[in-house]
Amino acid sequence: MDNKKPSFTEQEVNPLTSLDQWEDAVLERYPTPESIATSKSVDEYRNYDTPERDTVREFYRLNHTYQTYDFVQQKRADFLQFNKREMPVWDAFNFLNELVDDSDPDTDLDQFQHLLQTSEAIRNDGHPDWMVLTGLMHDMGKVLCLFGEPQWAVVGDTFPVGAPYSDKVVYPEYFRNNPDYQNTTYQEGTGVYTRGCGLRNVHMSWGHDEYVYQMMKNHLPESGLYMLRYHSFYAWHREGAYDYLLDDHDREMLKWVKLFNPYDLYSKNPVPPDWNQLRPYYEDLVAKYLPATLKF
């Protein structure tokens, strides 16, 4: 990796009588991985012990070494002003077609094809269109790579910074290389946070989840925003780590992140979607929820 310079959503009106009614209906259809995975067995996904590409281990070494608390603050200041560029969503998707995610051991397809596979799996299971759009947009933040950001600062599993590292994060041994590992302010007790402070008050390692969440926060319902912001926080939604940082609202919203996760993960397969056939639907969907251009 070239280490020059760390060169280095509005809610849809619900037609049901209450939100609880809709939530119960969604949870009855909570997908099992086996119903979505089509190209290989579930056990073959997220294989970090013997990944098909040896870039994965090196990626996480860099990620865990350089994602410090101060680095995250710098990136938030740099990118959350959204003053780099303004462009239509479809131009941003064209950018994504240039990327292959080095942190992902499950696919070599370009990013737009993965987004379509995710959103189509969600649509095929009859979920509302705002969730289909969440699937389509969930990796949009990877355009950060095209603003000169290294992949270890854009993709991969996320984790809190300023808090003790959990051994439930993938490759936890690499945290020993991180300057924050020796900082007792961060590594003792609850770090810089208070118990039960809520994830909204926790700074996560920098990457596309937080970036796309901030980009989309005025355009999607809160359940969709949790999906975007925490879909890479596997140590929480898959391993149950960092419970001491959660508040009751996080625990309530966890079901939405868990609902989304299988679609993100198990919809990946080597057969690309037919964009020519799908295009009219997605153009209408994007126009329904999003402005003509987005700020990046």
Side-chain angles (χ1 to χ4, degrees), residues 178-192:
N178 191 302
D180 290 356
Y181 186 80
Q182 306 298 334
N183 189 325
T184 56
T185 300
Y186 300 148
Q187 297 306 313
E188 291 185 355
T190 58
V192 300

Side-chain angles (χ1 to χ4, degrees), residues 9-11 213-221 225 289:
T9 104
E10 201 169 291
Q11 279 195 342
Y213 157 75
Q214 295 284 351
M215 183 188 302
M216 300 297 294
K217 66 183 181 182
N218 295 320
H219 304 295
L220 288 171
L225 295 176
Y289 284 96

Side-chain angles (χ1 to χ4, degrees), residues 27-274:
L27 293 176
E28 287 173 7
R29 299 197 305 273
Y30 193 94
T32 60
E34 289 76 9
S35 70
I36 298 170
T38 57
S39 64
K40 53 185 176 181
S41 72
V42 169
D43 291 342
E44 293 179 87
Y45 286 84
R46 288 187 66 76
N47 180 357
Y48 287 107
D49 294 324
T50 55
E52 293 179 8
R53 292 195 303 276
D54 61 10
T55 55
V56 176
R57 188 177 289 273
E58 174 64 5
F59 167 87
Y60 278 106
R61 185 188 70 79
L62 295 166
N63 174 274
H64 292 356
T65 298
Y66 295 112
Q67 288 269 3
T68 65
Y69 185 88
D70 288 345
F71 176 81
V72 170
Q73 306 316 310
Q74 174 203 326
K75 292 304 174 184
R76 291 177 63 89
D78 286 350
F79 285 102
L80 296 188
Q81 298 179 65
F82 293 102
N83 59 1
K84 309 297 182 191
R85 185 169 178 178
E86 187 168 351
M87 56 184 163
V89 172
W90 306 110
D91 288 358
F93 286 139
N94 287 335
F95 271 139
L96 286 180
N97 282 344
E98 302 173 16
L99 300 177
V100 172
D101 183 344
D102 280 353
S103 76
D104 190 340
D106 295 328
T107 184
D108 283 310
L109 290 180
D110 67 50
Q111 295 303 303
F112 184 55
Q113 290 171 328
H114 164 54
L115 294 181
L116 280 177
Q117 288 178 338
T118 302
S119 54
E120 278 297 283
I122 292 168
R123 182 160 75 120
N124 289 339
D125 276 359
H127 294 298
D129 61 359
W130 63 257
M131 187 171 167
V132 178
L133 182 63
T134 301
L136 186 70
M137 299 297 295
H138 77 278
D139 281 347
M140 174 61 77
K142 291 178 182 178
V143 298
L144 286 167
C145 285
L146 296 139
F147 295 132
E149 292 302 283
Q151 284 203 349
W152 54 261
V154 177
V155 296
D157 288 20
T158 58
F159 51 88
V161 294
Y165 299 120
S166 169
D167 63 5
K168 298 300 185 183
V169 180
V170 63
Y171 296 137
E173 63 271 22
Y174 291 136
F175 286 127
R176 293 179 180 274
N177 302 329
N178 191 302
D180 290 356
Y181 186 80
Q182 306 298 334
N183 189 325
T184 56
T185 300
Y186 300 148
Q187 297 306 313
E188 291 185 355
T190 58
V192 300
Y193 309 107
T194 58
R195 184 171 295 275
C197 64
L199 290 179
R200 66 189 173 279
N201 295 308
V202 173
H203 292 302
M204 301 297 295
S205 55
W206 177 250
H208 71 285
D209 295 42
E210 182 68 18
Y211 184 66
V212 74
Y213 157 75
Q214 295 284 351
M215 183 188 302
M216 300 297 294
K217 66 183 181 182
N218 295 320
H219 304 295
L220 288 171
E222 187 179 18
S223 44
L225 295 176
Y226 260 75
M227 294 172 183
L228 293 178
R229 197 174 199 180
Y230 302 113
H231 69 272
S232 301
F233 190 9
Y234 282 90
W236 172 46
H237 65 71
R238 290 289 291 271
E239 304 294 337
Y242 296 104
D243 185 72
Y244 64 90
L245 294 175
L246 309 181
D247 62 13
D248 289 341
H249 187 61
D250 295 324
R251 294 187 179 94
E252 173 65 20
M253 298 305 290
L254 175 59
K255 61 179 175 252
W256 293 101
V257 183
K258 290 171 96 51
L259 172 65
F260 177 77
N261 178 245
Y263 291 111
D264 179 17
L265 179 54
Y266 300 113
S267 64
K268 296 171 184 173
N269 68 76
V271 180
D274 184 346

Side-chain angles (χ1 to χ4, degrees), residues 10-23:
E10 201 169 291
Q11 279 195 342
E12 181 179 19
V13 175
N14 199 315
L16 302 175
T17 56
S18 73
L19 187 60
D20 287 344
Q21 185 182 6
W22 160 244
E23 289 181 2

